[in-house]
Amino acid sequence: MFYEVPVKTNRSTEFIDITRKISELVFESGVKNGICYIYVPHTTAGLTINENADPDVVHDILVRLNKVIPFDDNYRHAEGNSAAHIKASMMGFNQYIIINNGKLMLGTWQGIYFTEFDGPRHRKVYVKIIEG
Ligand code: ZN
């Protein structure tokens, strides 16, 4: 099963929790055991898995990322969004999650985040659900 999920981002830099949407797709697919592969087809946005219980965790990750990768740093890329490209590469563009008994095998405190670094934009996520 293949799905294309639209993601609307609201800020220049933000993490959007897409765990619920991905879980719904797994349910909709009817796949009980397999792999959920998630891919972001963008160069200034990515994917990560981290805590979704305490929102301060995402806040702290963003604060640190913005310090480590400053917006301006004599970059050469003419579009002016090199910081976003670098941060997206640090996050990566895909995640695999095991599906067991129809559920994503995430840890208790884990959520799946779409990580926007050059928003706001209309983005998308590809989801492939593979039985096996
Ligand atoms: Zn660029």
Side-chain angles (χ1 to χ4, degrees):
M1 260 64 65
F2 172 79
Y3 304 92
E4 186 175 317
V5 181
V7 177
K8 187 185 174 304
T9 64
N10 306 299
R11 283 183 249 154
S12 61
T13 301
E14 72 178 321
F15 281 19
I16 294 180
D17 189 339
I18 59 170
T19 314
R20 183 183 223 165
K21 182 65 196 167
I22 304 301
S23 296
E24 285 169 4
L25 293 179
V26 169
F27 178 78
E28 193 181 313
S29 75
V31 171
K32 298 294 177 207
N33 295 287
I35 293 284
C36 178
Y37 177 68
I38 313 171
Y39 184 80
V40 165
H42 302 292
T43 61
T44 54
L47 278 175
T48 194
I49 292 175
N50 214 302
E51 174 162 340
N52 68 353
D54 178 1
D56 284 344
V57 172
V58 162
H59 173 268
D60 291 349
I61 291 172
L62 286 173
V63 165
R64 176 50 58 186
L65 271 177
N66 289 334
K67 277 186 189 160
V68 173
I69 315 293
F71 189 79
D72 291 311
D73 197 14
N74 296 316
Y75 302 118
R76 292 171 59 170
H77 178 45
E79 197 186 5
N81 61 353
S82 282
H85 289 291
I86 295 165
K87 290 175 200 165
S89 274
M90 288 172 77
M91 293 294 108
F93 302 96
N94 61 82
Q95 294 288 338
Y96 292 95
I97 302 157
I98 297 166
I99 301 166
N100 190 46
N101 290 324
K103 296 212 164 109
L104 293 168
M105 282 190 82
L106 290 165
T108 307
W109 310 109
Q110 286 184 321
I112 308 159
Y113 287 102
F114 180 93
T115 61
E116 175 64 82
F117 297 114
D118 196 21
R121 292 188 193 221
H122 290 278
R123 303 287 205 172
K124 60 190 171 188
V125 175
Y126 296 149
V127 180
K128 184 80 180 172
I129 297 172
I130 305 155
E131 195 160 25

